[in-house]
């Protein structure tokens, strides 16, 4: 192109690609220096030319209008619509953001296409939109601003009237669908004597095309990646592209498959950001970058009146602020303490006080406390957006964001993008609003969610992954175009809901009807056909349970009948039995328990071992456990503990005869006193429930336990209390097990009965007759707690449940009938009570022997039995299933 020339593009990505292509071409031709034409986006060039005209005095205007950014325009429309809906009784039910988006689009169509609405059209949605549009224009006039579409009209008028010099030649690249304003620009440029042409990004000869119909979308993704790998294996210098009209839906899936195929080492954290030879044209929301999410979380932390535990936990575990390296372990410990000690919601000041208390107790978090205290005094009252933009930068600096370690190249680019987000916040100044900090935090989340972040690639990509609307800067060797099904491509019609459909059809507005979409799809299709030497179009046979058809644009195309190779995930690659790079290690045996070793867990250890040995090893021998999940008020475990504590207080000084002889009023008074003492002690030890919650809990306990005691009273079985919450250390095959029994009472016959209170589901006792007893708590009490001279008469779960009070278990009385009539059914295999006790002892000792020997395989009979396992991530059940399910006839467990 000539010296005084310009190339205009619809996107910055295409502009960068064209610049790189021009430079690459000169280097290949051996040039050491060359003139490179200016390559800009249309909006960039218009902004530059108007700014230069204003500085030169070509545009005679004291105060030119301010151009609203897309985000500002959305907010202004939302404000106008919100004000209008205040008069509507159902205004709160409307999606204001969605209405604002539709109104923006309708307004853009009306202005750019110069649409005229006949007065006789009186549809309610149209009349409402025209009222909003009038109010919007009035607000723009008051603020001396213009939305983007009218600002571009103003820019075009300025260029038409100006005499400032323009480039001698301007080429348009990648404009598939020329809007009226772009057509007018071409006309203005021609009238000003500019040579206008199209920049060729395609080749003359059409591509050789093929069509393949694959099983589903996942197969399309796998086939496309396998195709790219095969092409690059054949020619490492090949330039390829993968194109899809649904790129946003499959971006992550494609990226994972490409990494698994080309960069398996990137699974290691230290290599996660190694340079790739593929590039997505579609970026991701800036808010998805961890370093930016950390900044947003910190701002919310300082602006919220009530903090949520989950949000504070995210902040504590983030490596992007304060002493993120030196205090990482201490912050993790603080997170665990917070989950145990603090309620679900609390204030920032309360959290700082709690952190200070933990610091005094030996937790080394001085840096965190200093940074929080430095930032906590910021005023959250209303201020201007520009003030908040500066204040947020200062706050993050005070919090030592982005942390102690050196940030990576990707993180550095994200930090630069954050500065642009702050600039966008400052631009809200034009709307003339003062904002509280909480609203600023919300707006920054919106800005960062809408701002697209695209990291720069270090090398020229061998594989470009694009949306179907995006043009390549130059032809490539081959293209794989996915999702060529008739419900996807051509795109379905999407007329604007606020404008009359017939007007949209008459003007051929984008998305107006299927004919418009089909015409546009043909244009894109022709551009694709001239963008490579070879193109494979793929479609899916099914989506879920639906049968699919190929796009009509695939008609008469050569069909690939042979099977295509499908790329595999890294886990699938590693699961191949014949993989030479793998060494199979049988690691189900952990170190044996040596004499003197302590293994915690009590009866829970033996239960876990019986269900899944690996569960017992990870949770009880290694001490792994899940974090406590915050709840609003009291969780089920806390409520169950309170029931246990109240019943202990009640029975500590009474026997059944005392209960039998108590009047109802005396029983109620005694129970209320015990509940009061229990809740008082609970409130002293914890800070997880407000007085209102405790008052409600008092009412619940009074009703629940009062009914339970009446049930016991009516049952009429006499007993004397032997112990409540009794603890005893016993040895099972040399393993010390601590037993804690809710209640032991003695019947008139002299036999001991062990009772364990339950407030949830009734435990299943089916396994009590099997070799692996998966509910061993009561059998352990019966077999190991009692002394040799003690007579064990029975074991029962006391089901303290509203309207379902019951004792569930087994005892001597169950053997007093004929064997075939005995219940529960499992005892029919045993001749008498002592045989069952002996079976329990032998079975539990066998489980204990497994623990002592180090047996820790991931082995279980029913995955549902792992419902209360705290270490299921360590069992890696999905990975095991994926790796072993392909081996027919072999149990994946």
């Amino acid at each position: 192109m000539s010296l005084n020339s310009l190339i205009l593009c619809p996107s910055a990505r295409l502009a960068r690609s064209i610049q790189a292509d021009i430079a690459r071409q000169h280097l290949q031709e051996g040039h050491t220096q060359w003139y490179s034409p200016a390559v800009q986006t249309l909006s960039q060039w218009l902004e530059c030319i108007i700014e230069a005209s204003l500085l030169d005095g070509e545009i005679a205007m004291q105060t030119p209008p301010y151009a609203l950014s897309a985000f500002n325009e959305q907010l202004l429309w939302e404000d106008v619509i919100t004000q209008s809906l205040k008069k509507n009784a159902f205004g709160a039910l409307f999606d204001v953001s969605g209405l604002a988006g539709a109104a923006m689009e309708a307004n853009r169509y009306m202005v750019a296409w110069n649409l005229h609405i006949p007065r006789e059209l009186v549809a309610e949605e149209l009349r409402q939109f025209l009222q909003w549009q009038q109010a919007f224009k009035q607000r723009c006039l008051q603020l001396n601003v213009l939305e983007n579409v009218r600002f571009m009209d103003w820019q075009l008028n300025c260029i038409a009237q100006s005499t400032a010099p323009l480039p001698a030649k301007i080429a348009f690249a990648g404009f598939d669908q020329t809007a009226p304003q772009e057509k007018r620009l071409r006309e203005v440029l021609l009238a000003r004597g500019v040579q206008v042409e199209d920049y060729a990004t395609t080749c003359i000869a059409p591509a050789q095309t093929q069509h393949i119909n694959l099983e589903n979308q996942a197969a399309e993704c796998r086939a496309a990646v396998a195709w790219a790998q095969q092409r690059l294996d054949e020619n490492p210098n090949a330039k390829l592209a993968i194109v899809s009209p649904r790129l946003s839906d499959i971006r992550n899936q494609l990226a994972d498959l490409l990494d698994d195929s080309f960069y398996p080492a990137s699974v290691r954290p230290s290599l996660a950001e190694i340079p790739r030879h593929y590039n997505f044209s579609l970026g991701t929301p800036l808010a998805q970058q961890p370093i930016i999410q950390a900044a947003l979380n910190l701002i919310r932390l300082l602006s919220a009146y009530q903090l949520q535990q989950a949000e504070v936990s995210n902040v504590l575990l983030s490596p992007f602020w304060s002493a993120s390296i030196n205090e990482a372990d201490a912050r993790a410990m603080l997170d665990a303490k917070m989950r145990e000690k603090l309620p679900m919601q609390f204030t920032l000041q309360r959290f700082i006080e709690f952190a200070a208390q933990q610091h005094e107790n030996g937790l080394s978090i001085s840096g965190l406390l200093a940074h929080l205290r430095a930032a906590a005094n910021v005023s959250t009252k209303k201020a201007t957006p520009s003030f908040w933009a500066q204040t947020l930068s200062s706050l993050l600096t005070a919090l030592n964001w982005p942390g102690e370690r050196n940030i990576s190249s990707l993180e550095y680019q994200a930090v630069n993008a954050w500065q642009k987000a702050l600039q966008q916040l400052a631009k809200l100044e034009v709307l003339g609003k003062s904002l509280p900090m909480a609203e600023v935090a919300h707006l920054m989340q919106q800005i960062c969610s809408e701002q697209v972040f695209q990291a720069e690639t270090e090398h020229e990509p061998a594989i470009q992954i694009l949306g179907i609307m995006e043009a390549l800067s130059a032809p490539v060797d081959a293209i794989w175009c996915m999702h060529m099904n008739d419900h996807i491509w051509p795109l379905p019609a999407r007329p604007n809901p606020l404008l009359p459909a017939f007007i949209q059809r008459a003007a051929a507005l984008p998305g107006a009807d299927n004919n418009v979409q089909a015409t546009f799809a043909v244009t894109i299709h022709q551009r694709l056909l001239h963008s490579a030497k070879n193109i494979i179009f793929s479609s899916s046979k099914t989506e879920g349970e639906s049968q699919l058809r190929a796009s009509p644009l695939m008609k008469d195309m050569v069909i690939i009948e042979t099977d295509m190779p499908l790329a595999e995930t890294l886990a699938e690659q590693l699961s191949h039995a014949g993989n030479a790079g793998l060494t199979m290690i049988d690691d189900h045996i952990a170190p044996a328990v040596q004499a003197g070793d302590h293994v915690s867990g009590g009866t829970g250890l033996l239960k876990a071992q019986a269900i899944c040995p690996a569960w017992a090893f990870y949770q009880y021998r290694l001490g792994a456990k899940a974090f406590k999940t915050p709840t609003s008020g009291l969780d089920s475990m806390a409520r169950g503990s309170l029931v246990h504590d109240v019943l202990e207080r009640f029975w500590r000084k009474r026997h059944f005869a005392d209960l039998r002889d108590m009047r109802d009023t005396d029983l109620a008074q005694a129970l209320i006193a015990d509940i009061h003492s229990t809740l008082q002690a609970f409130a002293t030890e914890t800070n997880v429930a407000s007085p209102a919650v405790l008052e409600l809990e008092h009412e619940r306990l009074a009703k629940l336990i009062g009914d339970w005691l009446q049930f016991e009273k009516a049952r009429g079985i006499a007993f004397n209390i032997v112990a409540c919450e009794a603890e005893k250390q016993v040895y099972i095959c040399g393993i010390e097990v601590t037993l804690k029994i809710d209640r032991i009472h003695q019947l008139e016959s002299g036999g001991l009965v062990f009772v364990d209170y339950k407030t949830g589901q009734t435990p299943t006792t089916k396994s009590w007759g099997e070799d692996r007893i998966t509910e061993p708590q009561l059998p352990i009490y019966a077999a190991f707690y009692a002394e040799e001279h003690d007579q064990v008469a029975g074991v029962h779960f006391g089901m303290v449940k509203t309207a379902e009070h019951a004792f569930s278990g087994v005892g001597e009385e169950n053997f007093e009938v004929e064997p075939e009539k005995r219940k529960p059914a499992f005892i029919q295999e045993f001749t008498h009570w002592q045989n069952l006790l002996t079976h329990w002892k032998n079975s539990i000792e066998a489980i204990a022997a497994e623990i002592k020997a180090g047996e820790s395989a991931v082995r279980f009979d029913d995955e549902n039995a792992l419902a209360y396992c705290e270490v299921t991530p360590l069992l890696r059940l999905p990975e095991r299933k994926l790796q072993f399910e392909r081996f027919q006839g072999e149990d994946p467990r």
Side-chain angles (χ1 to χ4, degrees), residues 642-685:
L642 290 173
V643 170
H644 283 67
D645 293 346
V646 172
L647 286 170
E648 179 196 2
R649 289 177 188 273
F650 181 85
W651 286 117
R652 186 187 299 162
K653 49 188 178 292
R654 296 181 179 90
H655 299 290
F656 175 77
D658 300 308
L659 173 63
R660 180 193 60 204
D661 298 337
M662 291 178 78
R663 294 180 299 176
D664 289 348
T665 54
D666 294 336
L667 174 59
Q669 289 178 357
L671 182 58
I672 287 173
D674 290 335
I675 293 173
H676 179 75
S677 299
T678 298
L679 291 178
Q680 194 173 38
F682 178 80
T684 302
E685 295 174 3

Side-chain angles (χ1 to χ4, degrees), residues 156-175:
L156 296 180
N157 289 334
C158 290
I159 294 174
Q161 297 168 10
S162 172
T163 58
L166 295 174
K169 180 190 293 184
I170 295 182
F172 288 78
F175 289 87

Side-chain angles (χ1 to χ4, degrees), residues 179-465:
Q181 288 178 314
E182 290 157 9
K183 291 180 180 178
R184 187 189 168 204
L185 173 61
R186 291 180 183 236
E187 294 169 357
V188 168
L189 294 175
L190 288 170
R192 291 282 311 272
V194 177
Q195 181 181 344
V196 177
E197 61 184 34
D198 289 319
Y199 181 85
T201 60
T202 56
C203 50
I204 298 174
Q208 294 182 353
T209 60
Q210 294 175 294
H211 173 224
I212 184 168
N213 203 19
L214 295 163
E215 188 60 35
N216 50 37
Q217 176 178 283
E220 286 193 71
C221 291
R222 288 171 179 261
V225 172
W227 164 84
Q229 189 171 27
Q230 183 179 6
R231 295 293 301 240
L232 290 174
D233 287 343
E234 295 171 356
N235 178 13
N237 296 319
K239 299 301 176 187
L240 309 175
I242 297 175
V243 178
S244 169
R246 278 189 170 180
L247 185 55
S248 60
D249 295 340
I250 61 167
R251 187 189 193 283
N252 293 338
Q253 186 178 1
L254 271 178
D256 290 342
L257 283 169
L258 287 164
D259 278 349
D260 288 348
S261 297
F262 292 100
Y263 303 99
S266 65
V267 72
R268 299 175 181 173
S270 61
L271 299 176
E273 294 184 14
I274 58 175
R276 268 71 162 176
H277 70 342
Y278 67 82
N279 175 260
F280 282 90
S281 65
L282 177 70
T284 57
L286 179 60
Q288 290 184 7
Q289 295 299 313
I291 195 170
I292 302 303
Q293 193 58 60
L296 294 170
N297 288 340
L298 287 167
I299 293 169
R300 275 196 297 271
L301 185 79
L302 297 173
S303 64
Y305 174 71
Q306 286 285 334
L307 305 179
Q308 300 288 335
Q309 263 204 31
E311 293 181 352
V312 178
S313 180
N314 287 337
V315 169
L316 285 176
L317 301 180
S318 169
F320 297 111
W321 72 289
S322 190
S324 51
I325 297 177
N326 294 328
E327 296 181 2
D329 292 343
R331 277 159 55 169
M333 289 295 295
L334 179 62
D335 177 43
K337 293 286 186 183
M338 174 191 72
R339 293 167 182 260
E340 294 176 6
K341 302 294 184 181
L342 290 184
M344 192 174 186
Q345 294 181 333
F346 43 82
T347 64
L348 176 60
Q349 188 57 40
R350 174 71 187 91
F351 175 71
I352 293 176
E353 292 171 359
F354 173 77
Q357 183 181 9
Q358 298 303 314
H359 180 57
E360 292 172 1
N361 293 339
L363 205 57
S364 180
I365 50 172
S366 57
L368 178 140
L369 278 171
H371 290 128
L372 276 180
R373 285 168 173 162
N377 294 325
V378 63
S379 172
T380 60
K381 296 180 180 179
K382 289 185 175 182
T384 62
S386 59
F387 170 84
W388 280 120
Q390 297 175 355
T391 301
L392 294 186
S393 290
S394 301
L395 278 175
L396 291 176
T397 300
L399 291 166
N400 197 34
W401 179 81
E404 291 180 322
R405 67 177 178 82
N406 294 327
I407 60 176
S408 66
S409 171
L410 180 68
E411 291 164 348
Y412 177 78
Q413 293 178 59
V415 171
N416 288 339
W418 170 260
Q419 298 303 319
K420 295 180 181 177
L422 289 178
Q423 292 171 13
Q424 172 58 61
L425 176 66
K427 288 180 181 178
L428 296 179
E429 190 94 5
V430 71
L431 300 182
K433 281 189 174 184
S434 291
L435 306 169
M437 189 177 182
E439 187 173 350
V440 170
H442 174 70
L443 288 170
M444 283 302 297
Q445 181 69 50
Q446 276 188 279
I447 291 169
C448 293
S449 296
E450 295 181 14
Q451 182 174 328
V452 176
F453 175 70
Q454 181 71 52
E456 296 180 6
T457 53
E458 296 184 14
H459 307 287
E460 179 191 359
I463 307 171
Q464 298 185 61
I465 303 102

Side-chain angles (χ1 to χ4, degrees), residues 22-45:
I22 292 172
R24 192 179 307 111
Q25 182 179 352
H26 282 288
L27 288 173
Q28 290 173 352
E29 294 174 356
H31 299 161
T32 57
Q33 56 183 354
W34 60 86
Y35 169 77
S36 182
V39 185
Q40 293 179 293
T41 65
L42 177 56
S43 59
Q44 287 173 339
W45 179 71

Side-chain angles (χ1 to χ4, degrees), residues 447-737:
I447 291 169
C448 293
S449 296
E450 295 181 14
Q451 182 174 328
V452 176
F453 175 70
Q454 181 71 52
E456 296 180 6
T457 53
E458 296 184 14
H459 307 287
E460 179 191 359
I463 307 171
Q464 298 185 61
I465 303 102
L466 307 98
I468 201 166
M469 305 296 185
E470 299 175 272
L472 289 162
S473 58
V476 293
D477 295 309
I479 292 175
W480 183 293
C481 186
M482 305 168 59
H483 295 130
M484 292 292 103
N485 287 99
D486 63 353
H487 69 294
I488 299 175
W489 190 251
L491 296 173
R494 193 191 63 82
N496 186 282
L498 300 178
L499 296 176
F502 79 90
I503 290 181
Q504 297 185 62
R505 290 194 295 269
L509 295 183
D513 62 11
N514 289 332
N515 289 332
V516 171
Q517 297 297 71
T519 301
F520 179 59
V522 169
T523 301
I524 299 295
H525 192 71
Q526 288 301 312
R527 189 244 297 156
L528 275 175
L529 292 178
H530 292 266
S531 295
K533 301 173 185 175
N534 298 282
I535 304 178
I536 294 178
F537 293 91
S538 67
S539 56
S540 294
K541 297 177 183 177
T542 61
E543 185 174 49
E545 297 182 358
S546 302
Q547 298 294 318
L548 304 181
R549 294 177 302 189
S551 166
L553 293 175
M554 301 298 101
K555 186 179 179 182
D556 300 329
M557 201 171 287
V558 176
I559 297 176
I560 299 177
E561 301 288 355
T562 57
D563 291 338
M564 293 287 289
L566 302 180
E568 294 184 323
T569 65
L570 181 59
E572 289 169 339
Q573 296 170 35
L574 296 177
S575 69
H576 291 313
N579 193 318
L582 291 180
T583 302
M584 303 302 292
I585 300 175
D586 190 358
D587 64 345
H588 72 279
I589 299 296
V593 178
Q594 303 296 327
D597 290 351
H598 176 72
V599 183
S600 62
T603 59
L605 165 68
L606 294 160
K607 176 177 180 176
Q609 183 73 23
I611 295 174
C612 176
W615 174 5
F617 175 69
Y618 288 129
Q619 185 163 333
Y620 296 102
R621 291 195 63 187
L622 296 186
K625 63 178 181 179
F627 280 126
K628 184 177 179 182
T629 302
T631 58
S632 181
L634 301 174
D635 59 20
S636 57
M637 183 176 294
R639 289 193 178 98
S641 296
L642 290 173
V643 170
H644 283 67
D645 293 346
V646 172
L647 286 170
E648 179 196 2
R649 289 177 188 273
F650 181 85
W651 286 117
R652 186 187 299 162
K653 49 188 178 292
R654 296 181 179 90
H655 299 290
F656 175 77
D658 300 308
L659 173 63
R660 180 193 60 204
D661 298 337
M662 291 178 78
R663 294 180 299 176
D664 289 348
T665 54
D666 294 336
L667 174 59
Q669 289 178 357
L671 182 58
I672 287 173
D674 290 335
I675 293 173
H676 179 75
S677 299
T678 298
L679 291 178
Q680 194 173 38
F682 178 80
T684 302
E685 295 174 3
T686 65
N687 187 28
V688 297
S690 65
V693 170
L694 293 178
E695 185 176 347
L696 291 173
E697 184 62 17
H698 192 293
E699 294 179 12
R700 186 188 76 91
L701 291 171
K703 178 70 170 64
L704 178 65
I705 299 178
D707 290 348
W708 168 258
L709 293 175
Q710 290 292 352
F711 164 75
E712 287 220 59
K713 188 176 182 180
R715 187 166 173 255
I717 297 179
F719 58 83
N720 287 334
I721 293 295
V722 175
C724 291
E725 301 295 327
E727 286 195 16
K728 182 177 181 180
Q729 277 74 39
V730 299
Y731 287 87
I732 305 176
C733 291
I735 297 177
E736 181 182 331
V737 179

